[in-house]
Amino acid sequence: MSASMSSRFADRVALVTGAASGIGLATSRLFAARGALVVLTDIASEAGEEAARSLREEGHDAGFLYHDVTGEESWQRVIDTVRERHGRLDILVNNAGVGTGGSIEEATLEEWRAVHAVNAEGPFLGCKHAIGLMKQTGGSIINVSSVAGIIGAPQLAAYCSSKGAVRLLTKSVALHCARQGYGIRCNSVHPSYTDTPMVARMVGGHRDPERYRQRLESASPAGRLGDPDDVAGAILYLASDDAAFVNGAEIVVDGGLTAT
């Protein structure tokens, strides 16, 4: 990696939720490798601490904070800590998410609310509380939605609804910040099935895991699951100066799934 690439995000502070594994961890590693100071947050404290420790051992600037994205007080504490320790926030990646199956007839109200609390209310609270700090310097918010926020899936009623909410929340935030002159861009990323612990749990809980995984792989014209680095690369682009005129947009990372 060239020196210019490794310092591309020097002096920038990035906050990544759900960073203990999967897309969040891959994104944190990519930002750190490009010179950003990365704040990893998650409810999985042990895994999150280990991820941040690993980045520091590689010579990067990284720290971990326990963070329940469904709680407003938790968001306030995290943003206040970032303000006190670093004085700024340049990049917010609302990545934390959960996946629960069930058609509209099968899903319970409890499951519906639990999925929306993480997937929709989490990004809402993140944008709401981060903007106050971010508007001091400008920056970029990236909300991780899903192809399920663009196209429907019969067995994912709550998940589709929550990710669709993220898609339109993103556009509303982008317009608000632009019209207020904050210098904050807000965009969304829409992965298809990606090889993460969440998808692994979905596969493992199926009555025929091997066949189910093959179905997920074959759903994309690329013939494979996405890799967390595939999605992290799109997030990195949206956070970079290369995307300075990209706002309120959605980037689909799905191997061509939604093109069919």
Side-chain angles (χ1 to χ4, degrees), residues 101 103-114 158:
S103 70
I104 188 61
E105 292 187 279
E106 298 163 338
T108 66
L109 181 58
E110 182 181 14
E111 290 169 339
W112 173 275
R113 287 174 172 167

Side-chain angles (χ1 to χ4, degrees), residues 8-15 35-39 65 78-92 129-140 183-184 239 241:
R8 192 178 192 188
F9 287 87
D11 301 322
R12 297 191 195 182
V13 177
L15 170 61
L37 186 158
V38 185
V39 180
L65 294 173
V78 165
I79 297 300
D80 286 346
T81 301
V82 171
R83 180 184 288 107
E84 292 165 6
R85 292 183 182 177
H86 310 299
R88 61 187 293 158
L89 179 61
D90 304 281
I91 301 161
L92 170 64
H129 290 287
I131 284 172
L133 179 55
M134 293 184 74
K135 67 185 180 182
Q136 298 176 17
T137 56
S140 176
I184 299 172
D241 293 339

Side-chain angles (χ1 to χ4, degrees), residues 18-48:
S21 63
I23 293 169
L25 179 55
T27 300
S28 299
R29 288 193 176 283
L30 199 54
F31 277 130
R34 299 300 192 275
L37 186 158
V38 185
V39 180
L40 298 82
T41 79
D42 208 297
I43 58 171
S45 295
E46 187 173 342

Side-chain angles (χ1 to χ4, degrees), residues 12 30-31 56-57 86 95 105 107 116 120-121 125 131 135 140 147 151 156 158 169 171 177 191-192 202 206 220 222:
R12 297 191 195 182
L30 199 54
F31 277 130
R56 290 194 298 270
E57 289 173 352
H86 310 299
N95 165 73
E105 292 187 279
H116 281 76
E121 292 178 16
L125 290 170
I131 284 172
K135 67 185 180 182
S140 176
V147 293
I151 59 175
L156 296 173
L169 169 69
K171 297 179 186 299
C177 290
S192 57
M202 288 174 55
H206 195 269
S220 165

Side-chain angles (χ1 to χ4, degrees), residues 19 36 57 68 72 86 115 124 126 158-159 192 194 224 231 245:
E57 289 173 352
D68 177 359
E72 188 158 25
H86 310 299
V115 169
F124 160 73
Y159 188 76
S192 57
T194 305
R224 66 171 176 87
V231 187
F245 204 54

Side-chain angles (χ1 to χ4, degrees), residues 145-154 156 159-161 163-164 167 190-193 219 252 254 256-260:
S145 180
S146 167
V147 293
I150 297 175
I151 59 175
L156 296 173
Y159 188 76
C160 286
S161 173
K163 291 301 187 178
R167 180 187 181 204
H190 298 257
S192 57
Y193 290 110
V252 178
D254 69 351
L257 173 64
T258 54
T260 59

